[in-house]
């Protein structure tokens, strides 16, 4: 019995200071085939039944105790290891560091979209997204451009395989999608990329961007259109500039207009930028044609609306005095870093 007590004390002491490998050694030394405790259990036959019971039970208790102590120590060691690792890998968020890359900036086209959107958002417009791939109905038919209508000639595009789908030539198809999905009142702008079958030169590109605007409700008049667009021009270009609504034609608006602003380059005297006219065209607009409202099953007697389309590249080029549209698509960092 004394031996057992002694063994337990001895092992407890050893376990306290052991690492994982040493623990395995202790296990074999005391509990293995030739272990000290195993030896005691094997020699029980030497004793009387009474002694056997007592010693046997004590020895078994000691065995369980040692096994538990070894496991406990193992767990503690593992935990300590994890803690140590966490301590080592802890991030110091307050530490300043050198970041070897230049800070990026928005592309001027995106910048313009953001600025225009924020003006219209402040005027109560929601921002929506359209589809770049459309079909004939959305891009033309529903916008009052029936098949073989000459108005289509100005908007040739790229057709996808099978000719069923095409790349949209303007953001106006989103008008149809929105009106198909919701009842009036509608008040949205839709920025996006558009495509035309166009040879590229300093002012034309086969891919460019527009922002579509659409308001439909009861009692919407041309006065509302003028007010909103004049407000937009004032906020975007500065309110000192004159705004001109010049009669024009679009199939999906009636009446239609183009909006010109006084040339901010020459102040209206006439220069290269405004081609000596004193004004610069910035967008197309008009009152939504009743046929368009009918195409989306809106009651054209009850509702009226206005729409407009702004060319993003044109405005960006005016704002930053960029004289070649192609510069916007070349991803030349020497160019982009200026913004
Ligand atoms: N979609 C026309 C274009 O691309 C612009 C426009 C939009 C005109 C909405 C009137 C109303 O030329």
């Amino acid at each position: 019995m004394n031996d057992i007590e002694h063994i337990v004390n001895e092992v407890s002491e050893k376990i306290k200071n052991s690492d994982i490998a040493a623990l395995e050694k202790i296990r074999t030394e005391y509990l293995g085939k030739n272990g000290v405790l195993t030896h005691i259990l094997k020699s029980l036959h030497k004793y009387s039944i009474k002694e056997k019971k007592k010693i046997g039970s004590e020895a078994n208790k000691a065995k369980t105790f040692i096994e538990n102590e070894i496991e406990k120590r193992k767990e503690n060691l593992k935990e300590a290891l994890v803690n140590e690792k966490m301590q080592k890998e802890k991030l110091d968020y307050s530490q300043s560091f050198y970041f070897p890359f230049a800070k990026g900036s928005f592309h001027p086209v995106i910048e313009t979209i953001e600025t225009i959107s924020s003006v219209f958002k402040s005027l109560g417009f929601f921002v929506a997204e359209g589809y770049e791939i459309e079909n004939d109905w959305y891009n033309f038919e529903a916008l009052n451009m029936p098949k073989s209508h000459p108005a289509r000639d100005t908007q040739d595009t790229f057709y996808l395989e099978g000719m069923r789908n095409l790349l949209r030539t303007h953001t106006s198809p989103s008008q149809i999608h929105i009106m198909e999905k919701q009842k009036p009142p509608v008040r949205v702008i839709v920025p996006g990329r558009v495509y035309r079958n166009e040879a590229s030169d300093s002012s034309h590109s086969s891919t460019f961007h527009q922002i579509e605007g659409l308001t439909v409700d009861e009692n919407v008049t041309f006065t509302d259109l003028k007010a909103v667009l004049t407000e937009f021009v004032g906020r975007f270009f500065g309110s000192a500039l004159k705004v001109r609504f010049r009669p024009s034609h679009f199939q999906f608006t009636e009446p239609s207009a183009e909006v010109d602003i006084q040339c901010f380059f020459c102040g209206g005297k006439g220069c290269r930028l405004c081609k000596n006219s004193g004004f610069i065209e910035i967008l197309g607009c008009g009152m939504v044609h009743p046929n368009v409202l009918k195409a989306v099953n809106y009651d054209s007697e009850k509702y009226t609306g206005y729409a407009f389309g702004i060319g993003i590249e044109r405005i960006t080029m005016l704002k930053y005095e960029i004289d070649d549209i192609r510069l916007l698509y070349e991803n030349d960092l020497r160019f982009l870093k200026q913004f």
Side-chain angles (χ1 to χ4, degrees):
M1 290 299 284
N2 281 342
D3 279 355
I4 296 177
E5 204 186 313
H6 176 74
I7 289 169
V8 167
N9 288 337
E10 186 183 76
V11 178
S12 296
E13 208 49 46
K14 276 191 190 167
I15 289 176
K16 264 187 213 154
N17 304 312
S18 295
D19 59 12
I20 301 249
L23 284 175
E24 279 319 305
K25 264 195 199 140
I26 291 172
R27 192 198 295 280
T28 348
E29 190 183 335
Y30 289 89
L31 309 175
K33 252 193 219 155
N34 300 312
V36 185
L37 211 61
T38 319
H39 185 73
I40 293 177
L41 285 164
K42 271 186 187 162
S43 56
L44 282 179
H45 61 268
K46 289 197 273 184
Y47 302 103
S48 68
I49 293 187
K50 208 175 153 205
E51 280 171 331
K52 226 190 248 174
K53 244 191 186 166
K54 209 169 165 212
I55 297 171
S57 131
E58 279 311 303
N60 273 322
K61 258 193 221 155
K63 193 179 160 193
T64 321
F65 175 79
I66 293 169
E67 268 166 357
N68 286 343
E69 286 301 292
I70 290 178
E71 282 315 304
K72 257 195 242 160
R73 172 72 184 158
K74 254 192 183 167
E75 283 308 309
N76 287 343
L77 282 172
K78 269 188 211 159
E79 208 179 295
L81 217 65
V82 171
N83 283 341
E84 191 188 333
K85 202 172 166 209
M86 294 231 291
Q87 205 58 36
K88 260 194 217 153
E89 293 174 2
K90 203 163 124 187
L91 292 177
D92 179 359
Y93 295 104
S94 68
Q95 196 180 34
S96 67
F97 63 100
Y98 170 66
F99 190 65
F101 305 106
K103 207 167 139 195
S105 60
F106 283 118
H107 188 281
V109 164
I110 301 299
E111 183 86 49
T112 306
I113 290 177
E114 289 295 318
T115 313
I116 295 176
S117 299
S118 70
V119 171
F120 282 105
K121 276 193 265 182
S122 75
L123 294 171
F125 285 76
F126 285 95
V127 182
E129 229 180 320
Y131 308 101
E132 288 180 26
I133 295 176
E134 289 288 4
N135 60 29
D136 198 82
W137 166 256
Y138 289 100
N139 199 81
F140 297 120
E141 285 284 341
L143 289 165
N144 199 31
M145 282 191 268
K147 285 197 177 60
S148 74
H149 192 283
R152 287 191 179 202
D153 282 358
T154 58
Q155 303 204 357
D156 189 19
T157 185
F158 303 97
Y159 288 84
L160 282 86
E161 226 171 313
M163 301 288 281
R164 267 178 55 87
N165 295 321
L166 50 86
L167 297 181
R168 66 174 173 191
T169 57
H170 47 178
T171 41
S172 301
S174 11
Q175 289 186 29
I176 308 300
H177 286 291
I178 285 156
M179 290 191 283
E180 276 180 349
K181 273 187 213 119
Q182 73 169 85
K183 292 259 153 288
V186 172
R187 204 170 167 85
V188 288
I189 53 162
V190 190
R193 196 169 283 177
V194 300
Y195 304 84
R196 296 213 186 157
N197 183 4
E198 196 114 50
S200 83
D201 61 27
S202 64
S203 56
H204 295 91
S205 162
S206 57
T207 305
F208 57 104
H209 300 75
Q210 291 186 334
I211 287 192
E212 191 76 10
L214 175 70
T215 295
V216 183
D217 203 351
E218 289 177 52
N219 305 316
V220 175
T221 67
F222 200 89
T223 310
D224 298 308
L225 166 65
K226 275 188 91 169
V228 162
L229 291 180
T230 307
E231 183 63 25
F232 157 68
V233 170
R235 291 206 205 167
F236 190 84
F237 293 99
S239 49
L241 295 174
K242 276 189 199 150
V243 185
R244 181 168 81 177
F245 285 75
R246 179 169 38 82
S248 183
H249 174 82
F250 298 103
Q251 277 295 114
F252 33 93
T253 47
E254 179 60 33
S256 306
E258 263 158 314
V259 173
D260 303 335
I261 55 164
Q262 192 183 2
C263 180
F264 43 77
F265 212 59
C266 62
K269 279 193 227 89
C271 66
R272 202 173 65 95
L273 190 71
C274 61
K275 297 194 183 94
N276 282 319
S277 69
F279 280 90
I280 297 169
E281 181 203 319
I282 55 161
L283 62 91
C285 63
M287 299 305 289
V288 180
H289 197 290
N291 285 353
V292 175
L293 296 174
K294 282 175 198 154
V296 295
N297 293 320
Y298 272 16
D299 183 347
S300 63
E301 293 296 325
K302 189 173 171 194
Y303 298 111
T304 48
Y306 60 82
F308 53 88
I310 309 173
I312 304 297
E313 275 77 354
R314 210 182 140 65
I315 286 190
T316 308
M317 289 167 73
L318 291 171
K319 186 173 161 195
Y320 295 113
E321 291 170 33
I322 298 165
D323 60 5
D324 194 322
I325 195 170
R326 290 167 291 198
L327 287 166
L328 291 168
Y329 310 117
E330 285 168 350
N331 283 333
D332 186 335
L333 287 179
R334 288 169 304 179
F335 171 75
L336 293 173
K337 271 182 176 166
Q338 300 173 66
F339 302 97

Coordinates of all heavy atoms in Angstrom, one line a residue, residues 143 145 154-155 169-173 175 194 196 208 210-213 249-253 256-258 283-288 306-310, ligand 1:
L143 N -40.6 50.8 -78.5 CA -40.2 52.2 -78.4 C -40.7 52.9 -79.7 O -40.2 53.9 -80.1 CB -38.7 52.4 -78.3 CG -38.2 52.0 -76.9 CD1 -36.7 51.8 -76.9 CD2 -38.6 53.0 -75.8
M145 N -40.6 52.1 -82.8 CA -39.8 52.0 -84.0 C -40.1 50.6 -84.7 O -39.4 49.6 -84.5 CB -38.3 52.0 -83.7 CG -37.8 53.5 -83.4 SD -36.1 53.5 -83.3 CE -35.8 53.3 -81.6
T154 N -30.4 54.8 -88.0 CA -29.4 55.6 -87.2 C -28.8 54.8 -86.1 O -27.9 55.2 -85.4 CB -30.0 56.9 -86.7 OG1 -31.1 56.5 -85.9 CG2 -30.4 57.8 -87.8
Q155 N -29.5 53.6 -85.8 CA -29.0 52.8 -84.6 C -28.8 51.4 -85.0 O -29.3 50.4 -84.5 CB -30.1 52.9 -83.5 CG -30.4 54.3 -83.1 CD -31.0 54.4 -81.7 OE1 -31.2 53.4 -81.0 NE2 -31.2 55.6 -81.2
T169 N -28.8 49.6 -78.4 CA -28.2 50.8 -79.0 C -28.4 52.0 -78.1 O -27.8 53.1 -78.4 CB -28.9 51.1 -80.3 OG1 -30.3 51.2 -80.1 CG2 -28.6 49.9 -81.3
H170 N -29.2 51.9 -77.1 CA -29.5 53.0 -76.2 C -30.0 52.4 -74.9 O -30.3 51.3 -74.8 CB -30.4 54.1 -76.7 CG -31.7 53.5 -77.4 ND1 -32.6 54.3 -77.9 CD2 -32.1 52.3 -77.5 CE1 -33.6 53.6 -78.4 NE2 -33.3 52.3 -78.2
T171 N -30.1 53.3 -73.8 CA -30.6 52.8 -72.6 C -32.2 52.8 -72.5 O -32.8 52.4 -71.6 CB -30.0 53.6 -71.4 OG1 -30.0 54.9 -71.7 CG2 -28.6 53.1 -71.0
S172 N -32.8 53.3 -73.6 CA -34.2 53.5 -73.6 C -35.0 52.1 -73.4 O -36.1 52.2 -72.8 CB -34.7 54.2 -74.9 OG -34.1 55.5 -74.9
P173 N -34.5 51.0 -73.8 CA -35.2 49.7 -73.6 C -35.5 49.5 -72.1 O -36.5 48.9 -71.7 CB -34.3 48.6 -74.1 CG -33.3 49.3 -75.0 CD -33.3 50.7 -74.7
Q175 N -36.6 51.7 -70.1 CA -38.0 52.3 -69.9 C -39.0 51.2 -69.9 O -39.9 51.1 -69.1 CB -38.3 53.3 -71.0 CG -37.5 54.6 -71.0 CD -38.0 55.6 -72.0 OE1 -39.2 55.6 -72.3 NE2 -37.2 56.4 -72.6
V194 N -23.9 51.0 -73.8 CA -24.7 50.8 -75.0 C -23.8 50.6 -76.2 O -22.6 50.9 -76.1 CB -25.7 52.0 -75.3 CG1 -26.7 52.2 -74.2 CG2 -24.9 53.3 -75.6
R196 N -23.2 50.5 -80.7 CA -23.6 50.8 -82.0 C -22.6 50.4 -83.0 O -21.4 50.4 -82.8 CB -23.9 52.3 -82.2 CG -25.0 52.8 -81.3 CD -25.8 53.9 -81.8 NE -26.7 54.3 -80.7 CZ -27.3 55.5 -80.6 NH1 -27.0 56.4 -81.5 NH2 -28.0 55.8 -79.6
F208 N -20.3 52.8 -75.7 CA -20.3 54.0 -74.9 C -21.4 53.9 -73.8 O -21.9 52.8 -73.6 CB -20.4 55.2 -75.8 CG -21.7 55.3 -76.7 CD1 -22.7 56.1 -76.3 CD2 -21.7 54.6 -77.8 CE1 -23.9 56.2 -77.1 CE2 -22.9 54.6 -78.6 CZ -23.9 55.4 -78.3
Q210 N -24.7 55.7 -71.5 CA -25.8 56.7 -71.4 C -26.5 56.6 -70.0 O -26.3 55.6 -69.3 CB -26.9 56.3 -72.4 CG -26.5 56.6 -73.9 CD -27.7 56.3 -74.8 OE1 -28.6 55.6 -74.5 NE2 -27.6 57.0 -76.0
I211 N -27.2 57.6 -69.7 CA -28.1 57.5 -68.5 C -29.5 57.8 -69.1 O -29.7 58.9 -69.7 CB -27.7 58.5 -67.4 CG1 -26.5 58.1 -66.7 CG2 -28.9 58.6 -66.4 CD1 -26.2 58.8 -65.4
E212 N -30.4 56.9 -68.8 CA -31.8 57.1 -69.2 C -32.5 57.7 -68.0 O -32.3 57.3 -66.9 CB -32.4 55.7 -69.6 CG -33.7 55.8 -70.3 CD -33.5 56.2 -71.7 OE1 -32.4 56.2 -72.2 OE2 -34.6 56.4 -72.4
G213 N -33.5 58.5 -68.3 CA -34.4 59.1 -67.2 C -35.8 58.9 -67.6 O -36.1 59.0 -68.8
H249 N -36.4 65.3 -82.9 CA -37.3 64.1 -83.1 C -36.8 62.8 -82.6 O -35.6 62.5 -82.9 CB -37.6 63.9 -84.6 CG -38.4 62.7 -84.9 ND1 -39.8 62.6 -84.8 CD2 -38.0 61.4 -85.2 CE1 -40.2 61.4 -85.0 NE2 -39.1 60.7 -85.3
F250 N -37.6 62.1 -81.8 CA -37.3 60.7 -81.4 C -38.6 60.0 -81.6 O -39.7 60.6 -81.3 CB -36.8 60.6 -80.0 CG -35.5 61.4 -79.7 CD1 -35.5 62.6 -79.1 CD2 -34.3 60.8 -80.1 CE1 -34.3 63.3 -78.8 CE2 -33.1 61.5 -79.9 CZ -33.1 62.8 -79.2
Q251 N -38.5 58.8 -82.0 CA -39.7 58.0 -82.2 C -40.5 57.8 -81.0 O -41.8 57.6 -81.0 CB -39.4 56.6 -82.8 CG -39.2 56.6 -84.3 CD -40.4 57.0 -85.1 OE1 -40.5 58.0 -85.7 NE2 -41.4 56.1 -85.0
F252 N -39.8 57.7 -79.8 CA -40.5 57.3 -78.6 C -40.9 58.5 -77.7 O -41.3 58.3 -76.6 CB -39.6 56.3 -77.8 CG -38.1 56.6 -78.0 CD1 -37.5 57.4 -77.1 CD2 -37.5 56.0 -79.1 CE1 -36.1 57.6 -77.3 CE2 -36.1 56.3 -79.3 CZ -35.4 57.1 -78.4
T253 N -40.7 59.7 -78.2 CA -41.1 60.9 -77.5 C -41.9 61.8 -78.4 O -41.5 61.9 -79.6 CB -40.0 61.6 -76.8 OG1 -38.9 61.8 -77.7 CG2 -39.5 60.9 -75.6
S256 N -40.4 66.1 -78.9 CA -39.1 65.8 -78.5 C -38.2 67.1 -78.6 O -38.5 68.0 -79.3 CB -38.5 64.8 -79.5 OG -39.3 63.7 -79.6
A257 N -37.1 67.0 -77.8 CA -36.2 68.2 -77.8 C -34.8 67.7 -77.6 O -34.6 66.6 -77.0 CB -36.6 69.2 -76.7
E258 N -33.9 68.5 -78.0 CA -32.5 68.3 -77.6 C -32.1 69.5 -76.7 O -32.5 70.6 -76.9 CB -31.6 68.2 -78.8 CG -31.4 66.7 -79.1 CD -30.9 66.5 -80.6 OE1 -31.5 67.1 -81.5 OE2 -30.0 65.7 -80.8
L283 N -28.0 66.4 -74.4 CA -29.0 65.3 -74.2 C -30.2 65.4 -75.1 O -30.5 66.4 -75.6 CB -29.4 65.2 -72.7 CG -30.2 66.3 -72.1 CD1 -31.7 66.1 -72.2 CD2 -29.8 66.4 -70.6
G284 N -30.9 64.2 -75.2 CA -32.1 64.2 -75.9 C -33.3 63.9 -74.9 O -33.1 63.2 -73.9
C285 N -34.4 64.4 -75.2 CA -35.5 64.2 -74.3 C -36.9 64.4 -75.0 O -37.0 64.8 -76.1 CB -35.4 65.2 -73.1 SG -35.5 66.9 -73.6
G286 N -38.0 64.3 -74.2 CA -39.3 64.5 -74.7 C -40.4 63.9 -73.9 O -40.1 63.3 -72.8
M287 N -41.6 64.1 -74.3 CA -42.7 63.5 -73.5 C -42.9 62.1 -74.1 O -43.0 61.9 -75.3 CB -44.0 64.3 -73.7 CG -43.9 65.8 -73.2 SD -43.4 65.9 -71.5 CE -44.9 65.3 -70.7
V288 N -43.1 61.1 -73.2 CA -43.2 59.7 -73.6 C -44.4 59.6 -74.6 O -45.5 60.1 -74.4 CB -43.4 58.8 -72.4 CG1 -43.6 57.4 -72.9 CG2 -42.3 59.0 -71.4
Y306 N -42.2 62.0 -69.1 CA -41.2 62.5 -69.9 C -40.0 61.5 -69.7 O -39.8 60.8 -68.8 CB -40.8 63.9 -69.5 CG -40.3 64.1 -68.1 CD1 -39.0 63.8 -67.7 CD2 -41.1 64.6 -67.1 CE1 -38.5 64.0 -66.4 CE2 -40.7 64.8 -65.8 CZ -39.4 64.5 -65.5 OH -39.0 64.7 -64.2
A307 N -39.1 61.5 -70.8 CA -37.9 60.7 -70.8 C -36.8 61.5 -71.3 O -36.9 62.5 -72.0 CB -38.1 59.5 -71.6
F308 N -35.6 61.1 -70.9 CA -34.4 61.8 -71.4 C -33.2 60.8 -71.5 O -33.2 59.8 -70.8 CB -34.0 63.0 -70.6 CG -33.8 62.7 -69.1 CD1 -32.6 62.3 -68.6 CD2 -34.9 62.9 -68.2 CE1 -32.5 62.1 -67.2 CE2 -34.8 62.7 -66.9 CZ -33.5 62.3 -66.4
G309 N -32.3 61.1 -72.4 CA -31.1 60.2 -72.5 C -29.9 61.1 -72.6 O -29.8 62.0 -73.4
I310 N -28.9 60.8 -71.6 CA -27.7 61.7 -71.6 C -26.5 60.8 -72.0 O -26.4 59.7 -71.5 CB -27.5 62.2 -70.1 CG1 -28.7 62.8 -69.5 CG2 -26.3 63.1 -70.1 CD1 -28.6 63.2 -68.1
Ligands
LIG1 N1 -32.4 57.0 -76.7 C1 -32.1 58.2 -77.4 C2 -30.8 58.1 -78.1 O1 -30.0 57.2 -77.8 C3 -32.0 59.4 -76.4 C4 -33.4 59.7 -75.8 C5 -33.8 59.1 -74.6 C6 -34.2 60.6 -76.4 C7 -35.0 59.3 -74.0 C8 -35.4 60.9 -75.8 C9 -35.8 60.3 -74.6 O2 -30.5 58.9 -79.0

